[in-house]
Amino acid sequence: MEEQTSEKTYRIHLMVCAGTGCVSNNSFAVKDALKEEIKKQGLENEVLVVTTGCNGFCERGPLLVVEPGKIFYQQLTIKDIPHLVEEHFLKGRPVEKLMYSPPEDKTPIPVLNDIAFFKGQVLIALRNRGLIDPEKIDEYIARDGYTGMAKALTEMTAEEVLEEVKQSGLRGRGGGGFPTGLKWEFVRRASTNNGGIKYIVCNGDEGDPGAFMDRSLLEADPHSVIEGMVIGAKAIGAQQGIVYVRNEYPLALKRLNIALDAAREYGLLGENILDSGFDFDIKVTRGAGAFVCGEETALLASIEGRLGEPRPRPPFPAEKGLWGQPTCVNNVETWANIPVIINRGADWYHSIGTETSKGTKVFSLVGKINNTGLVEVPMGISLKEIVYDIGGGIPGGKEFKAVQTGGPSGGCIPKEKIDLPIDYESLSEAGSMMGSGGMVVMDEETCMVDVARYFLSFTQDESCGKCTPCREGTKEMLNILTKITEGKGTEEDLTLLLELAQSIKDSALCGLGNTAPNPVLTTLKYFREEYEAHIKDKKCPAHVCRELNTYTIDEVACVNVGKGCDMCRRNCASDAIVGEKGKAHTVIQDKCIKCGVCYDVCRFGAVKVD
Amino acid sequence: MPKLTLDDLKKLREKARRTTVLREGGDFRAKVTVHMGTCGIAAGARTIMNTFMTEIEEKDIRDVLLTNSGCAGLCSKEPMITVELQGQAPVKYIELTPEKAKDIFDKHVLNGQIVQDYALGIGSEKTDVS
Ligand SMILES: Cc1cc2nc3c(=O)[nH]c(=O)nc-3n(C[C@H](O)[C@H](O)[C@H](O)COP(=O)(O)O)c2cc1C
Ligand code: FES
């Protein structure tokens, strides 16, 4: 079919989410079905279909937002489309059954802004979320895109741009939280050697398990990162930019490349940008997807084509970075904030957030939470608001237990600290960290020892092996944790864990090792009794560590409720259950390998685990 | 597309805003609702819708929101529309033809003069202005 163009006037715009989440839920097929049905009903001159980046509410994908009016449709399938097109777009009657209803009350909420998930959010980095097609530079420009850059290049001196970013209070969103303006100043003041040039790097490695903020940002609004980098280049005096994206992010890479080409064609990258006399261009480097390559010195090594291994700092990249030249490394989200800061001013930005943490932070909210997705919240918002208001609480009426922030380098924050404000300092004081924005919610069925073991096995796997504390120390810690989850731990193990943790923290070469013990330290601090239960009582309170479980069958329930259905015996792979249909069943403990299948298949709650 | 100057960038933004304003919950001066129940469609509501689309497009109008809604409950008087100017009571027009629709667009929507000849009654109800 003939392509629709956004130059024409349409009375309805259908914003179809084409973020990775929705795409994997078939949103492209939904889009095609929409286009086809619109054509069939003769509406192709009235209704425009637009593909956008991640809308945020990935849990409910594939998503469609109808403009004007922000009518929110969710979990669409191809067979919903003909009815939807006829009813809503032709006859003007929105279709309630395709709208979102909160789990606790079944009344559909038609308008996006009225849905709790969206209400508490403040969008700066994600300002164009769901409003533009990321592959159309004109739509970015329509929403004040490249206005900040134009201002920086034609109305401001480099010092003024630098000062504005310093005044804004923006801190790095990639993990460390270093003040961005100050880092820029270091690079600006550093001198190049042997006639080289200064570089700017965008860190899009994003290796934390469960994190997808940077990927979504690059997919949804690549121009905001490009614009931020040009502004940074002006402030710093850099001539070449590099965006480092991991190869597992094909959609982000594709949209970034389309955006770079479009910006070049308009002369917004290249020589003499906007006749300002300023030259700057950006290249893309693909990373192979190693967690350690997110560390800035490893990242730079990888860009140079060397092994992605970290090196000791100082010298910092600001002095000696790419090819020995001063280099400024910032995270994707950090860059995306810059255009707005220049456009709306440092004072405006400074007014959002807390004393020491300004602006907003994007989090990927995952785990045991009703509303999985991508959220952008003002700094200082409480954990409680994120989990209960935006996140919609814990599914299945289960109890909230902890939140893990900061990925493998972060820690677990227990439910007693649910009122904790989200800012750099509060998270650090609680033993965790802001990190790049992964937020994993855990409920009562999560074993904290197992969580610590999971994160440590991740860092142990991803350790580059260059320094001994990280290479050997994390392995030893992992062994101890595994022993504990198998019920073979001793009290001395806890002391040893703490000692190892401290010495790795103090002596590892890079941030990966320095922070690897954090998940263990915070769980030990807040959930020590769980460790002790594993060690002393040989029990896993959450029943996750199966080796510690004992399965029994409640004979009364088995016969009276389940009528001796025999499902457990038939599914037991090790013949550890005796009984016959209609009669009570029992577990022979000696034979039981604790696989838990009987527990899973019993529909009558007769199998008990302790 | 040649390299943009600062001025080109501003012009491009103005032009592109036409597209995105619809998505931004923009402040529309006027709202035209075409009633598109089965009865309305049978009586020719789609031709009326197209007439307004063409008017808006050809005259390059940006502050008028064109939308549709279900049957207005007066099936014998279809095709019908409701015109709402910001801060004023809605006006329903009945038994429309493309010519009448153009007339209403020029006089009422663009110039604020109600076309009494085709109007049903004034201010009996309100549709929500989004
Ligand atoms: C093991 C490790 C992994 C890291 N991974 C990332 C990452 O994926 N993305 C990122 O932006 N920063 C990552 N960092 C932080 C970077 O070293 C660097 O501080 C950051 O990119 C600077 O940008 P910012 O100041 O804008 O946050 C990582 C650090 C460590 C120690
Ligand atoms: S991918 Fe569609 S909402 Fe996130």
Side-chain angles (χ1 to χ4, degrees):
Chain A
M1 122 181 213
E2 199 185 317
E3 266 309 299
Q4 295 183 316
T5 68
S6 44
E7 313 249 299
K8 234 183 75 56
T9 309
Y10 297 88
R11 64 182 172 84
I12 295 178
H13 291 192
L14 301 181
M15 315 304 287
V16 181
C17 179
T20 292
C22 286
V23 167
S24 60
N25 278 321
N26 239 352
S27 71
F28 281 134
V30 166
K31 182 192 87 175
D32 292 342
L34 274 169
K35 283 196 158 175
E36 197 178 308
E37 190 62 29
I38 285 165
K39 180 105 196 275
K40 207 157 131 196
Q41 308 234 14
L43 290 167
E44 71 268 34
N45 290 320
E46 298 174 39
V47 183
L48 174 71
V49 179
V50 187
T51 39
T52 73
C54 174
N55 156 295
F57 206 175
C58 309
E59 174 79 28
R60 296 286 172 149
L63 302 178
L64 163 67
V65 179
V66 184
E67 300 284 11
K70 299 218 178 313
I71 305 296
F72 182 83
Y73 289 118
Q74 45 123 50
Q75 293 177 339
L76 294 176
T77 62
I78 295 170
K79 67 178 195 337
D80 297 326
I81 301 304
H83 181 69
L84 177 66
V85 172
E86 175 167 349
E87 281 300 300
H88 188 165
F89 313 140
L90 179 61
K91 297 185 175 167
R93 292 189 293 236
V95 180
E96 284 201 349
K97 76 173 188 1
L98 299 176
M99 293 174 184
Y100 166 80
S101 336
E104 66 279 10
D105 114 40
K106 297 284 169 219
T107 328
I109 305 178
V111 179
L112 178 140
N113 297 337
D114 295 334
I115 296 171
F117 177 78
F118 296 99
K119 266 190 195 165
Q121 299 197 41
V122 173
L123 306 182
I124 297 177
L126 304 178
R127 58 196 173 279
N128 291 324
R129 174 160 99 181
L131 292 174
I132 63 167
D133 181 336
E135 298 183 13
K136 300 220 165 83
I137 188 170
D138 287 7
E139 297 196 1
Y140 178 73
I141 290 173
R143 304 247 323 135
D144 287 336
Y146 290 106
T147 310
M149 179 188 96
K151 191 168 161 189
L153 295 191
T154 61
E155 295 169 29
M156 297 167 81
T157 65
E159 294 286 349
E160 282 167 352
V161 177
L162 185 64
E163 200 49 37
E164 201 71 18
V165 174
K166 274 170 85 176
Q167 289 304 321
S168 73
L170 174 68
R171 294 169 65 175
R173 301 296 192 239
F178 192 81
T180 305
L182 197 58
K183 188 188 280 183
W184 288 16
E185 187 163 34
F186 290 152
V187 188
R188 180 170 173 74
R189 306 266 175 266
S191 35
T192 55
N193 43 62
N194 304 325
I197 56 169
K198 294 182 185 176
Y199 296 92
I200 273 192
V201 173
C202 171
N203 187 345
D205 187 57
E206 191 167 59
D208 297 14
F212 53 94
M213 303 75 55
D214 296 345
R215 185 194 75 206
S216 298
L217 228 164
L218 285 169
E219 286 174 4
D221 204 7
H223 286 288
S224 66
V225 175
I226 298 172
E227 186 183 357
M229 290 177 75
V230 183
I231 296 170
K234 158 97 182 200
I236 289 162
Q239 286 165 35
Q240 178 67 53
I242 290 139
V243 184
Y244 187 92
V245 187
R246 52 173 53 211
N247 217 10
E248 292 106 310
Y249 285 180
L251 200 54
L253 276 162
K254 174 180 162 223
R255 292 194 180 142
L256 177 62
N257 279 315
I258 291 175
L260 286 169
D261 287 344
R264 254 177 237 126
E265 201 177 309
Y266 274 169
L268 301 171
L269 281 176
E271 285 173 13
N272 192 18
I273 300 170
L274 294 174
D275 284 333
S276 64
F278 185 71
D279 306 337
F280 181 71
D281 209 334
I282 297 175
K283 281 196 294 212
V284 179
T285 300
R286 298 160 181 233
F291 179 60
V292 75
C293 282
E295 195 280 334
E296 54 187 18
T297 60
L299 183 99
L300 296 178
S302 170
I303 294 174
E304 290 178 8
R306 291 184 287 119
L307 197 60
E309 277 184 354
R311 61 159 175 80
R313 301 174 309 174
F316 286 90
E319 281 167 74
K320 273 195 170 10
L322 267 187
W323 293 288
Q325 305 295 344
T327 301
C328 179
V329 183
N330 278 123
N331 168 259
V332 171
E333 188 186 333
T334 313
W335 288 120
N337 274 291
I338 300 292
V340 201
I341 292 176
I342 298 301
N343 206 15
R344 302 193 62 173
D347 290 342
W348 167 80
Y349 193 83
H350 200 81
S351 69
I352 302 163
T354 68
E355 195 52 40
T356 57
S357 307
K358 299 298 179 189
T360 56
K361 178 77 193 86
V362 180
F363 289 100
S364 55
L365 195 56
V366 297
K368 304 290 179 63
I369 184 99
N370 274 316
N371 303 339
T372 304
L374 194 71
V375 306
E376 181 169 1
V377 291
M379 294 280 190
I381 191 174
S382 72
L383 201 51
K384 189 175 182 174
E385 286 167 272
I386 297 183
V387 172
Y388 285 98
D389 300 342
I390 295 173
I394 317 298
K398 301 258 164 57
E399 203 180 321
F400 169 70
K401 185 169 191 174
V403 160
Q404 212 278 350
T405 68
S409 316
C412 291
I413 300 162
K415 73 162 184 273
E416 299 81 64
K417 289 200 178 285
I418 187 123
D419 290 316
L420 194 80
I422 299 297
D423 61 60
Y424 291 97
E425 280 68 28
S426 307
L427 285 168
S428 301
E429 273 162 36
S432 184
M433 62 189 266
M434 182 75 78
S436 58
M439 201 173 256
V440 189
V441 181
M442 295 161 184
D443 70 3
E444 56 188 313
E445 289 182 352
T446 314
C447 167
M448 301 315 280
V449 185
D450 184 58
V451 165
R453 197 186 57 86
Y454 166 77
F455 279 109
L456 208 72
S457 74
F458 178 86
T459 32
Q460 204 273 317
D461 242 17
E462 295 284 339
S463 168
C464 72
K466 193 167 173 181
C467 75
T468 320
C470 179
R471 185 184 62 236
E472 298 301 326
T474 56
K475 203 181 286 169
E476 192 46 38
M477 284 181 78
L478 181 61
N479 285 342
I480 299 176
L481 287 168
T482 307
K483 243 173 76 184
I484 297 177
T485 57
E486 288 169 353
K488 298 173 193 145
T490 63
E491 301 239 12
E492 293 75 60
D493 282 339
L494 293 186
T495 324
L496 190 55
L497 261 184
L498 281 172
E499 274 171 21
L500 277 167
Q502 201 53 52
S503 72
I504 296 172
K505 254 178 117 74
D506 295 342
S507 59
L509 172 66
C510 84
L512 190 148
N514 299 141
T515 57
N518 283 353
V520 180
L521 288 171
T522 49
T523 47
L524 255 174
K525 177 168 168 197
Y526 297 120
F527 300 95
R528 197 182 173 98
E529 70 290 347
E530 267 187 54
Y531 281 85
E532 285 171 349
H534 283 76
I535 292 170
K536 289 190 202 148
D537 313 335
K538 308 291 174 208
K539 285 284 162 218
C540 172
H543 306 306
V544 170
C545 304
R546 288 202 146 153
E547 315 238 352
L548 304 185
N549 289 347
T550 312
Y551 295 91
T552 51
I553 296 171
D554 176 345
E555 296 193 1
V556 179
C558 177
V559 182
N560 291 358
V561 189
K563 310 273 181 258
C565 77
D566 208 33
M567 278 300 276
C568 53
R569 191 193 58 79
R570 277 190 281 142
N571 280 284
C572 179
S574 48
D575 293 331
I577 294 179
V578 288
E580 57 185 274
K581 207 164 166 61
K583 302 242 169 74
H585 289 61
T586 7
V587 180
I588 309 167
Q589 296 300 338
D590 288 349
K591 282 191 169 180
C592 177
I593 58 161
K594 310 187 191 268
C595 69
V597 163
C598 52
Y599 181 81
D600 295 338
V601 298
C602 182
R603 285 172 293 132
F604 309 102
V607 179
K608 306 285 178 203
V609 54
D610 179 43
Chain B
M1 173 59 83
K3 271 187 60 144
L4 300 183
T5 62
L6 197 55
D7 211 37
D8 297 336
L9 182 67
K10 281 186 190 138
K11 284 196 194 120
L12 185 60
R13 179 167 68 240
E14 281 317 306
K15 187 166 150 253
R17 252 193 220 287
R18 279 194 60 160
T19 310
T20 53
V21 68
L22 194 72
R23 308 170 191 169
E24 291 170 4
D27 214 10
F28 293 97
R29 190 183 52 78
K31 174 172 163 179
V32 178
T33 307
V34 183
H35 297 279
M36 290 280 237
T38 313
C39 48
I41 293 173
R46 297 200 58 176
T47 325
I48 303 301
M49 177 66 90
N50 287 334
T51 308
F52 282 107
M53 290 287 307
T54 316
E55 287 291 298
I56 289 177
E57 172 106 27
E58 281 176 0
K59 301 196 167 124
D60 197 16
I61 306 300
R62 298 166 190 212
D63 55 359
V64 174
L65 180 65
L66 179 62
T67 176
N68 59 345
S69 79
C71 167
L74 259 178
C75 308
S76 59
K77 305 260 189 255
E78 296 279 6
M80 290 175 63
I81 62 166
T82 305
V83 175
E84 276 172 83
L85 300 191
Q86 224 174 50
Q88 293 180 27
V91 180
K92 276 201 165 44
Y93 290 101
I94 55 175
E95 297 176 331
L96 294 181
T97 61
E99 290 69 37
K100 290 182 187 174
K102 274 190 205 154
D103 209 23
I104 294 166
F105 192 76
D106 283 337
K107 294 196 173 122
H108 188 179
V109 178
L110 296 183
N111 290 307
Q113 299 156 3
I114 297 173
V115 188
Q116 297 291 356
D117 288 356
Y118 322 136
L120 171 70
I122 299 174
S124 45
E125 75 246 78
K126 228 175 131 54
T127 58
D128 59 322
V129 178
S130 43

